[in-house]
Amino acid sequence: MFLRFFLLQSLLLAICMWCGRRIAINKDIYRNAFIIILAFSLIEGLRWGRGIDYNIYVGVYDSFLIGDPYMTEAFLFDLLLTVMAYLNLPYQFLIIFSSFLLIICGMKWMMKYPEIMGFSVPWFYILTFSAENLFRWYIAAGFLLVAITEFLNEKRRKALVYTIISVGFHPMMALLAILFLVLSFKKNILIVPLGALCIYIGISVVW
């Protein structure tokens, strides 16, 4: 079992590195992006019983299936479970769909700087490895990344829409959105780039 897990994760990392590099040098951008999205969605989405959230939300989804839903604090997540229950979709669909949403949002964010995707795509995979434990949080974080991307592109209405979607999957994203908005008005550099990079990597490792 561990060998299969190791091989699949190694394969996914290799795909992220190879296809990310191909995108960075402007080779078959859409084909390589599709390969990354497909591989991530299937390898991460077809996991079985692995991670805290996976096992917690089995019971939550069952409550929707029997018509006595256990409502969370996230209205869009509850809506997703309601639609799934109405269509009588298997629970595994939620895991695949959440993995798909995460990589779609991540790719939209990373495509803003395609020249570094040989580094950013495998690093995104490494940073989101804990999504297996906190997949609802990472869905919300993915949409917040898209909101930030639209905000930086000066598309404020789209940024607001994606922020609402993010908060709809996890209310905690509201605090992060407010923090980003406050920092965006700061004209001076708060932390030198090397210091920011060290803090970023340190938090990533600890988290």
Side-chain angles (χ1 to χ4, degrees), residues 29-50:
I29 294 176
Y30 293 107
R31 179 185 299 176
N32 284 286
F34 174 78
I35 292 172
I36 292 171
I37 292 169
L38 181 64
F40 190 96
S41 300
L42 293 179
I43 293 177
E44 288 297 300
L46 290 175
R47 67 183 185 273
W48 182 266
R50 192 170 72 244

Side-chain angles (χ1 to χ4, degrees), residues 49-64 70 72-73 77 81 91 94-95 132-136:
R50 192 170 72 244
I52 297 172
D53 273 11
Y54 185 105
N55 295 287
I56 289 176
Y57 287 108
V58 168
V60 174
Y61 183 53
D62 283 346
S63 72
F64 279 78
Y70 175 83
T72 70
E73 76 284 3
F77 185 71
L81 295 185
Y91 177 72
L94 176 63
I95 308 302
E132 294 190 355
N133 287 324
L134 304 165
F135 71 81
R136 183 164 68 90

Side-chain angles (χ1 to χ4, degrees), residues 71-120:
M71 307 299 287
T72 70
E73 76 284 3
F75 68 94
L76 282 182
F77 185 71
D78 289 340
L79 177 60
L80 175 60
L81 295 185
T82 300
V83 172
M84 284 181 55
Y86 177 78
L87 297 175
N88 199 30
L89 295 174
Y91 177 72
Q92 198 64 35
F93 174 84
L94 176 63
I95 308 302
I96 297 173
F97 189 58
S98 65
S99 299
F100 173 75
L101 288 178
L102 176 58
I103 190 58
I104 284 288
C105 291
M107 289 295 289
K108 183 173 178 60
W109 174 57
M110 290 182 286
M111 287 295 288
K112 183 174 175 62
Y113 305 102
E115 66 276 5
I116 62 169
M117 288 186 70
F119 170 79
S120 63

Side-chain angles (χ1 to χ4, degrees), residues 159-201:
L160 178 60
V161 170
Y162 283 117
T163 300
I164 292 173
I165 294 174
S166 174
V167 174
F169 276 100
H170 204 299
M172 186 61 68
M173 291 300 119
L175 297 178
L176 295 180
I178 293 171
L179 176 61
F180 170 79
L181 185 62
V182 170
L183 291 176
S184 69
F185 289 107
K186 291 287 185 179
K187 301 302 181 182
N188 57 315
I189 298 176
L190 299 179
I191 305 174
V192 297
L194 180 59
L197 179 62
C198 292
I199 293 173
Y200 173 73
I201 294 175

